[in-house]
Amino acid sequence: MTQSTPITVPRGLKNVIVTDTAIGDVRGEEGFYHYRQYDATELARTARFEDVWHLMIYGELPDAAASERFARRIGELRVLDGTTVDLLRSVVTPDVEPLAALRVALATAGITERPLFDLPEADRIHAALRYAAIAPTVIAAAHRLARGLDVVDADPAAEHTADYLRMATGNTADDAVSALQTYLVTTIDHGFNASTFAGRVVASSGSDMTSSILGALGAFLGPLHGGAPGRALAALEEIGDPSNTRDWVRGKVAGGEVIMGFGHAVYRTHDPRAELLKEVVTTRYDSPLVRQAAAVEAEIETAINEFKPGRRLYANVEFYAGVLMSEVGLPPEMFTPTFGVARIVGWTANILEQAAERKIIRPVARYVGPEPSRTASSRTTADA
């Protein structure tokens, strides 16, 4: 039996197709992305979060009756059991971040879970819905507990976005819920990003749903991925008056630093998510923060063109995500967790798709270390 010749690919697997998917795609040169066969930004404008969730899991938007059944099911699953609430009360301190608490809660909830490899499809889907549904409840509870407040129970009759915002901040205003829902739908999925790929790698081994989600969550926690919205808002605070932007950019470029909130690994034009969120915040909110963000965005693009001619860097989704979440009452420490409330739906859809393939992802690496010395016994065995 002969071994196939390895293929050398770019670092980070950039532009390497590793599998087929029916979940969605990102067309970076066009500034377009979609969920299944639907324009994702159009869904974010018109559809409620639960209906897009149904699309991601089942492959179709639900009719009115199916929509209500699915929303009712998600509402029931969103309620935490007493054991999980007691666990959170015992582990969450002011130093524990909400996504760290989610890791603990998911690991505990799935401690007796069977591998996806051994589960029928209906059970795999139930696990996906269960863990994605409790994420906002756990995150909101952990946020409150870290601030010395008690847990606010989920309302199974409420819509997913509205219940999350209520549990986390107490804000029940329709305009805030609508704005946040737009953001959440916008960020459910986005191609084979690092966290989605990590979740699929774990799922490819036949592992359980919680382990697969935790693999995705581990990648998501990195500042180059899910941690960016808070850092983009911090940049606005650092810049202050938009007239300071040019000098600020010059310093970042000279120091070789990343300009958080700008540029994307896939898009080579305007990020459609950023464009949509900019539209939402600039049409709904007339605040100093919104005005500053719009002015700074324009100044950064101009300065980058000056200091890095030929580079096409535009605002990405994180730049306006932090602005939007601030406007609906979420503090910076909840930006990445809120991103996670949406992205866990995309992770679970991808995990289900990968589990159905029943094929392990097993690439190879090129060894570049010192040449190993072979012992006499290994030479004899190898040469035999």
Side-chain angles (χ1 to χ4, degrees):
M1 180 177 178
T2 59
Q3 187 176 19
S4 59
T5 303
I7 301 171
T8 300
V9 300
R11 292 185 65 184
L13 301 181
K14 185 176 178 64
N15 293 326
V16 175
I17 296 173
V18 296
T19 193
D20 296 330
T21 182
I23 292 172
D25 190 26
V26 180
R27 301 178 183 177
E29 293 292 338
E30 300 174 29
F32 173 78
Y33 75 115
H34 58 98
Y35 301 156
R36 304 289 184 179
Q37 67 270 40
Y38 297 95
D39 180 335
T41 57
E42 186 60 26
L43 288 173
R45 294 177 189 276
T46 60
R48 70 173 180 169
F49 188 81
E50 290 91 330
D51 290 347
V52 182
W53 190 343
H54 186 284
L55 169 70
M56 300 301 285
I57 299 299
Y58 293 106
E60 61 183 14
L61 288 172
D63 59 23
S67 174
E68 290 308 309
R69 285 196 303 271
F70 187 74
R72 191 180 314 116
R73 183 179 184 185
I74 294 303
E76 292 169 353
L77 291 173
R78 195 167 55 243
V79 178
L80 294 183
D81 59 81
T83 300
T84 303
V85 173
D86 290 342
L87 171 68
L88 292 172
R89 287 185 177 129
S90 68
V91 301
V92 174
T93 68
D95 296 327
V96 174
E97 296 183 356
L99 286 177
L102 180 62
R103 284 190 297 190
V104 174
L106 289 176
T108 303
I111 197 167
T112 60
E113 189 180 357
R114 293 168 57 199
L116 291 167
F117 190 84
D118 298 329
L119 293 180
E121 182 182 25
D123 290 351
R124 294 198 298 266
I125 291 175
H126 178 75
L129 298 181
R130 176 191 177 197
Y131 297 125
I134 67 171
T137 316
V138 170
I139 287 169
H143 171 61
R144 289 181 58 84
L145 289 168
R147 296 165 61 214
L149 304 172
D150 202 5
V151 175
V152 173
D153 293 333
D155 177 3
E159 291 193 350
H160 201 66
T161 303
D163 208 24
Y164 170 59
L165 190 59
R166 178 190 66 86
M167 289 187 290
T169 70
N171 190 352
T172 59
D174 290 343
D175 62 337
V177 171
S178 176
L180 183 60
Q181 180 167 255
T182 298
Y183 168 70
L184 293 180
V185 173
T186 300
T187 52
I188 282 176
D189 188 62
H190 203 246
F192 262 44
N193 55 82
S195 57
T196 296
F197 185 54
R200 290 187 69 127
V201 169
V202 178
S204 78
S205 72
S207 188
D208 56 88
M209 178 61 69
T210 47
S211 294
S212 302
I213 295 172
L214 291 172
L217 182 56
F220 183 73
L221 288 171
L224 296 181
H225 192 7
R231 292 170 184 254
L233 190 68
L236 286 175
E237 295 175 355
E238 187 178 335
I239 291 169
D241 191 285
S243 63
N244 300 326
T245 305
R246 187 173 181 277
D247 289 339
W248 182 85
V249 172
R250 182 192 290 113
K252 293 293 182 183
V253 171
E257 298 180 57
V258 174
I259 299 176
M260 287 296 181
F262 278 75
H264 193 273
V266 177
Y267 291 116
R268 293 299 174 265
T269 184
H270 290 279
D271 185 334
R273 303 168 301 171
E275 294 293 291
L276 175 58
L277 297 186
K278 178 180 180 179
E279 177 186 320
V280 170
V281 298
T282 56
T283 57
R284 299 189 187 194
Y285 302 102
D286 182 20
S287 69
L289 177 60
V290 171
R291 292 193 295 272
Q292 180 203 17
V296 165
E297 178 197 9
E299 290 291 335
I300 288 179
E301 287 191 8
T302 299
I304 288 174
N305 279 335
E306 179 182 347
F307 300 132
K308 288 193 169 186
R311 290 291 302 275
R312 292 185 291 171
L313 289 182
Y314 304 101
N316 59 39
V317 67
E318 286 85 9
F319 186 77
Y320 281 104
V323 175
L324 185 149
M325 285 187 271
S326 291
E327 294 295 339
V328 303
L330 288 161
E333 62 268 23
M334 286 291 277
F335 291 176
T336 298
T338 301
F339 188 178
V341 166
R343 188 52 62 86
I344 193 171
V345 171
W347 293 337
T348 52
N350 274 275
I351 289 165
L352 289 172
E353 185 177 64
Q354 187 65 52
E357 289 190 12
R358 303 175 78 85
K359 174 69 175 177
I360 194 167
I361 296 173
R362 175 59 173 91
V364 296
R366 179 171 54 204
Y367 178 73
V368 296
E371 184 65 27
S373 59
R374 298 168 60 191
T375 64
S377 59
S378 67
R379 284 198 300 272
T380 301
T381 303
D383 295 341

